[in-house]
Coordinates of all heavy atoms in Angstrom, one line a residue:
T497 N -25.5 -15.3 28.0 CA -25.1 -16.7 28.4 C -24.0 -17.1 27.4 O -23.9 -16.5 26.3 CB -26.2 -17.7 28.4 OG1 -26.7 -17.8 27.1 CG2 -27.3 -17.3 29.4
E498 N -23.3 -18.2 27.8 CA -22.3 -18.7 26.9 C -23.0 -19.4 25.7 O -24.2 -19.7 25.8 CB -21.4 -19.7 27.6 CG -22.2 -20.9 28.2 CD -21.3 -21.8 29.0 OE1 -20.2 -22.1 28.5 OE2 -21.7 -22.3 30.1
S499 N -22.3 -19.7 24.6 CA -22.9 -20.3 23.4 C -22.4 -21.7 23.2 O -21.6 -22.2 23.9 CB -22.5 -19.4 22.2 OG -21.1 -19.4 22.1
G500 N -23.1 -22.3 22.2 CA -22.7 -23.7 21.8 C -23.8 -24.7 21.9 O -24.8 -24.6 22.7
V501 N -23.8 -25.7 21.0 CA -24.7 -26.8 21.0 C -23.9 -28.1 21.1 O -22.9 -28.3 20.5 CB -25.5 -26.8 19.6 CG1 -26.4 -28.0 19.6 CG2 -26.3 -25.5 19.5
A502 N -24.4 -29.0 22.0 CA -23.7 -30.2 22.3 C -24.7 -31.4 22.4 O -25.9 -31.2 22.3 CB -22.8 -30.1 23.5
M503 N -24.2 -32.6 22.7 CA -25.0 -33.7 22.9 C -24.9 -34.2 24.3 O -23.9 -34.1 25.0 CB -24.5 -34.9 21.9 CG -24.7 -34.6 20.5 SD -24.4 -36.2 19.5 CE -22.7 -36.5 19.9
I504 N -26.1 -34.8 24.8 CA -26.1 -35.6 26.0 C -26.3 -37.0 25.6 O -27.2 -37.4 24.9 CB -27.3 -35.1 26.9 CG1 -27.2 -33.6 27.2 CG2 -27.3 -36.0 28.2 CD1 -28.4 -33.2 28.0
V505 N -25.3 -37.8 26.0 CA -25.4 -39.3 25.7 C -25.1 -40.1 26.9 O -24.5 -39.6 27.9 CB -24.3 -39.6 24.6 CG1 -24.5 -38.8 23.4 CG2 -22.9 -39.3 25.2
P506 N -25.7 -41.3 27.0 CA -25.4 -42.2 28.1 C -23.9 -42.7 28.1 O -23.2 -42.6 27.1 CB -26.3 -43.4 27.9 CG -27.3 -42.9 26.8 CD -26.6 -41.9 26.0
V507 N -23.5 -43.2 29.2 CA -22.1 -43.7 29.3 C -22.2 -45.2 29.6 O -23.1 -45.7 30.1 CB -21.3 -43.0 30.4 CG1 -21.1 -41.5 30.1 CG2 -22.0 -43.1 31.8
K508 N -21.1 -45.9 29.2 CA -21.0 -47.3 29.5 C -19.6 -47.7 30.0 O -18.7 -47.0 29.8 CB -21.3 -48.1 28.2 CG -20.3 -47.8 27.1 CD -20.6 -48.6 25.8 CE -19.6 -48.3 24.7 NZ -19.9 -49.0 23.4
E509 N -19.6 -48.9 30.7 CA -18.3 -49.3 31.2 C -17.5 -49.9 30.1 O -17.9 -50.5 29.2 CB -18.5 -50.4 32.3 CG -19.2 -49.8 33.5 CD -19.2 -50.8 34.7 OE1 -18.7 -51.9 34.4 OE2 -19.8 -50.5 35.7
K510 N -16.2 -49.7 30.2 CA -15.2 -50.2 29.2 C -14.0 -50.7 30.0 O -13.4 -50.1 30.8 CB -14.8 -49.1 28.3 CG -13.8 -49.5 27.2 CD -13.4 -48.3 26.4 CE -12.4 -48.7 25.3 NZ -12.0 -47.6 24.5
V511 N -13.7 -52.0 29.7 CA -12.5 -52.7 30.3 C -11.3 -52.5 29.4 O -11.3 -52.8 28.2 CB -12.8 -54.2 30.5 CG1 -11.6 -54.8 31.2 CG2 -14.0 -54.4 31.4
N512 N -10.2 -52.0 30.0 CA -9.0 -51.8 29.3 C -8.0 -52.9 29.5 O -7.6 -53.2 30.6 CB -8.4 -50.5 29.8 CG -7.3 -49.9 28.8 OD1 -6.7 -50.7 28.2 ND2 -7.2 -48.6 28.8
N513 N -7.8 -53.7 28.4 CA -6.9 -54.9 28.5 C -5.5 -54.6 28.0 O -4.7 -55.5 27.6 CB -7.5 -56.0 27.7 CG -8.8 -56.5 28.3 OD1 -8.9 -56.5 29.5 ND2 -9.8 -56.8 27.4
N514 N -5.1 -53.3 27.9 CA -3.8 -53.0 27.4 C -2.7 -53.4 28.4 O -2.7 -52.9 29.5 CB -3.7 -51.5 27.2 CG -2.5 -51.0 26.5 OD1 -1.6 -51.9 26.2 ND2 -2.3 -49.7 26.2

Side-chain angles (χ1 to χ4, degrees):
T497 63
E498 60 183 319
S499 62
V501 176
M503 293 190 300
I504 304 176
V505 298
V507 294
K508 63 181 179 180
E509 293 187 0
K510 179 181 179 181
V511 179
N512 197 327
N513 296 322
N514 187 1

